[in-house]
Every structure is written in structure tokens, then in C-alpha cells.
Amino acid sequence: MREIILNKSAEMFLHYGFKSVTMDEIAAQLGISKKTIYQHYRNKTELVEASVFYVFETICSEIDRVCGQDKSPIRELYEIKKVVREHLKNESSSPYNQLKKFYPKLFTQLIQKQYNVMIESVTENLHRGIAMGLFRDDIDVFFISRIYISGMNSIKDEELFPNENHSIQYLTTLFLEYHLRAIVTPKGLLELNQFINEEKTIQQ
């Protein structure tokens, strides 16, 4: 039952926001009493924390799977974007911003964990891209990796990028292409353009 509660809670928090969803609503969706939830989670804060790190670890496992497939560094980044999109489901940045506003301590812990995972993944991706001749060998990996992570976090800021203007999905795609066009070699640019054209064909 604990895992069932966790799965449903994570789904609802991601769709509606961490502040918006109540324990009563979770219980109603599961067809159980609120008391049953409290037998497994002492309060909503504990359930939010469990849900956040459950989703985080799930995404990390999927990213590890993608990175283990030995894809081109360019295609790998797009595949990781796809994995994150599928797990987070909601294009709105509301859950992210609600977590930041109403659970600041938990938000800080998540960002630190996320940073540690991303910095390792992005750094390895950049080094492989350089070795394969897809990324320029004169780029500063330390600088580029941190600018990339900073940018990915910034596009979730509703003050900088209001939801009514562009979806998170659109902004992520735009930023990823922006990142890659800044560092690819002519060889890498050919592969990037080929991949983008393939994606456009699939979407038509």
C-alpha cells in the first residue's frame, strides 16, 4: 500500500502541483481513508519528500539506461530530454515553482542532487563529443557544463519565462538546440541538422 500511495501521490503532485494537492484528494483518488495514508506517511511534507525523490531516482535510472546505450552524444541529449518529459508529463513549470516556494529546504536538497547527477552526465557527454569530433576541441568543458545546467534550470523560472508564452517542452527543445549549435563542429552540425529534420518528419 505504501508504494501505491507513493505512485499516485507523485502522479498528482506532478500534474497539479505540490501545494495544490491535498491529502483528502489523494485518499479519494485511491479509494482509501486519509487515516490509511497517515499510517505510512506522518504528514504531507513527508509524502511530498518521498514523492520528489522517488521521481528523481526513477529519472536517474532511466538516464543511466540511455547513457549506457552508447548513442551519439547529440542524440543522447535529446533522448535524455525525452525521458525527463515522459516522466514529468506536465509541461507546466508549476510543480517546480510550488516546490521552490512552499518546500524550500526540500527544493534545495533536490537541486543539489540534480546538479551532482547532471554535472557528471553533461561533462561525460561533452568529452565524448569532443573525442568523436562532434564538439569543438577548444570548448571549456567546465564552463559549458555549468552554463548548460544553469540554463536548463532558468527556463523553469516563471518570472523569466511565463507559462502563457511558451511551454516548458518548447523551451527545453529550443535551449538544447541553442546549446548544441554553440559547440558543434561542422561534422556535429551535419548530425544535428539531420536529427532535427528526422524529428520534424516524425511529427508531421
Side-chain angles (χ1 to χ4, degrees), residues 1-176:
M1 176 55 71
R2 182 180 177 86
E3 186 174 346
I4 293 174
I5 293 171
L6 184 59
N7 283 330
K8 176 55 70 174
S9 300
E11 176 188 323
M12 293 178 69
F13 287 143
L14 288 176
H15 188 75
Y16 300 107
F18 293 97
K19 180 65 174 178
S20 304
V21 177
T22 67
M23 298 293 265
D24 285 314
E25 289 169 337
I26 294 171
Q29 282 290 315
L30 289 169
I32 61 176
S33 68
K34 191 163 61 172
K35 181 179 178 181
T36 301
I37 297 179
Y38 286 126
Q39 289 175 349
H40 298 276
Y41 299 96
R42 289 174 297 176
N43 49 51
K44 183 180 175 181
T45 298
E46 185 176 290
L47 181 55
V48 167
E49 181 175 358
S51 298
V52 165
F53 290 115
Y54 166 74
V55 173
F56 175 76
E57 294 298 336
T58 300
I59 292 174
C60 284
S61 296
E62 284 295 298
I63 290 175
D64 286 343
R65 179 186 61 77
V66 170
C67 292
Q69 293 176 346
D70 201 28
K71 293 178 180 288
S72 154
I74 291 173
R75 292 176 181 270
E76 180 179 274
L77 287 177
Y78 278 99
E79 187 66 25
I80 289 173
K81 178 180 74 73
K82 181 180 177 182
V83 164
V84 173
R85 181 190 68 204
E86 288 176 348
H87 281 280
L88 297 184
K89 299 174 183 175
N90 190 6
E91 289 192 348
S92 169
S93 56
S94 178
Y96 176 90
N97 286 290
Q98 284 193 18
L99 189 67
K100 183 178 181 179
K101 181 177 181 180
F102 297 107
Y103 300 92
K105 183 178 179 180
L106 178 55
F107 178 80
T108 300
Q109 293 175 345
L110 175 64
I111 290 299
Q112 186 58 57
K113 283 180 172 290
Q114 182 187 64
Y115 174 82
N116 291 338
V117 170
M118 286 187 70
I119 198 66
E120 181 179 350
S121 175
V122 174
T123 298
E124 194 276 337
N125 180 275
L126 289 170
H127 281 302
R128 282 204 306 120
I130 293 171
M132 295 172 67
L134 297 172
F135 300 158
R136 302 193 331 264
D137 61 8
D138 61 343
I139 63 173
D140 187 317
V141 172
F142 179 90
F143 173 78
I144 296 295
S145 60
R146 284 154 179 80
I147 284 294
Y148 178 76
I149 293 170
S150 176
M152 277 298 185
N153 285 328
S154 293
I155 61 177
K156 300 171 188 173
D157 189 325
E158 290 181 338
E159 292 185 5
L160 288 174
F161 301 100
N163 286 338
E164 59 268 22
N165 292 345
H166 299 296
S167 69
I168 284 294
Q169 173 61 20
Y170 173 80
L171 292 172
T172 302
T173 300
L174 202 65
F175 180 73
L176 182 50

Side-chain angles (χ1 to χ4, degrees), residues 157-203:
D157 189 325
E158 290 181 338
E159 292 185 5
L160 288 174
F161 301 100
N163 286 338
E164 59 268 22
N165 292 345
H166 299 296
S167 69
I168 284 294
Q169 173 61 20
Y170 173 80
L171 292 172
T172 302
T173 300
L174 202 65
F175 180 73
L176 182 50
E177 183 177 340
Y178 171 84
H179 163 73
L180 287 168
R181 288 193 182 280
I183 65 174
V184 291
T185 61
K187 176 183 175 182
L189 183 58
L190 285 173
E191 180 173 321
L192 175 60
N193 287 334
Q194 179 183 3
F195 179 82
I196 290 173
N197 289 332
E198 288 174 4
E199 290 293 289
K200 288 180 179 178
T201 301
I202 293 172
Q203 292 170 8

